[in-house]
Amino acid sequence: MRIELPREAERFGSNLFYGVQKIYELDAGSSQDTEFSSQFHVVHKISPEKIYEVESQMAIIIPVKNERLKLLEGVLCGIPHACLPIIVSNSTREPTNRFRMEYNAVDNFCRFAKKRYVIVHQKDDYFSNAFEATHYQEILNEQGMVKNGKAEGMIMGILLAKFLGKKYVGFIDADNFFPGAVFEYIRIYSSTFASANSIFSMTRILWHSKPKVIDSNLFFAKWGRVTRITNNYLNRLISLYTGFETDVIKTGNAGEHAMSIDLAMLLDYSAGFSIETYHFINLIEQFGGILESKHPDVMQNAVEIYQVESRNPHLHEVKNEEHIKEMIEHSLSVIFHSPISPSELKKEILRELKKLKIIEKENSPIQPTTYKALQSIDLHKFFCKIDLTKYCNFSTN
Ligand code: GDP
Ligand code: CO
């Protein structure tokens, strides 16, 4: 992989938000390049060996809820062999048992691909018992089961990856139409981690484009509505603190992102679809130097946030208008409700939500549940409750 070095970085406390990096070659060859001994190079080449080393320590978490099996199979096909896929499903089990169908499809696929995998269901009582036993009840609903939501599934995936000794976690949605795009995203994750300086790092994908059909022609849209709005308010937040206007943040809603497990265990998470925007907010809350940090050791280090633009277009299942409004509200509400949100920014967010008719005149945006950092969970206690033989189908490797 050949990637441009970041041209700019916005420093916020210990956070380093890097500007968007471009890909120059998906495969940069294996020979040594003398240019890289020069300190003036602007493009970074990551060797296949380094990529392999990271990927063999990376779990790819795939949250899935009632997606088409063909899409899930395509996603599996795009995952480099060394990575371990962890599928966390919240698909229905009645009247048709879609979860069983997913399990069979994954098992069959991985037999042919000679690939190890883990597949779990979000509502399995093993998990709710484990969360109960480790005092993490906020993730459970009134029936004592894990709540619905993508974030909740992602949290389960992170815990499994940690337990299985993985050093990195990457997320890939199950509704992606292009296995080639999945492959590229994961190569971007592994390449950035291979060249990261800090053990606390995050990589977020900026989609090259989202193809749409307009007047019978393909149109490659760059910015979705939700992303445009979220990025704007995250950049406003940074600008209001630094006093310099910035547009460094381009990935406020990046579902496709990855983290070192050390960072993944430290961050607090927000429920449902606000989780990705909340990463930025929580990074600033915990390591931005405004509030007192619980982790002075991390403050001494840098926390690196990479944003890389993929070359493949992104095509996933089309969701309705309601879903879009919900995403805008959730994304902006985590910015609004943060203790670091300046009053000026709160006013601007309220104005935006009213303009979009997402909230009524006197109302405030909803406050999504937040989940405390996973490092508070006693992992030994947690996994005593979970029968891994039932879940981890390590078929032949
Ligand atoms: P968007 O792409 O961000 O608009 O949202 P999607 O509806 O495509 O959801 C992203 C991913 O999360 C998809 O793979 C969904 O199948 C999955 N997903 C949605 N809700 C849940 C859930 O409650 N639990 C789990 N485990 N996955 C979910
Ligand atoms: Co989607």
Side-chain angles (χ1 to χ4, degrees), residues 62-67 88-90 122 147-150 153-154 172-175 207 273 316-317 319 323 327:
I62 309 168
V64 48
K65 187 173 181 184
N66 301 333
E67 302 291 354
V88 185
S89 172
N90 193 20
Q122 201 157 323
K147 289 180 192 162
N148 290 331
K150 181 187 173 196
M154 288 165 66
I172 296 283
D173 285 353
D175 63 339
W207 299 337
F273 286 106
H316 66 145
E317 291 280 27
K319 300 281 151 60
H323 179 67
M327 286 202 51

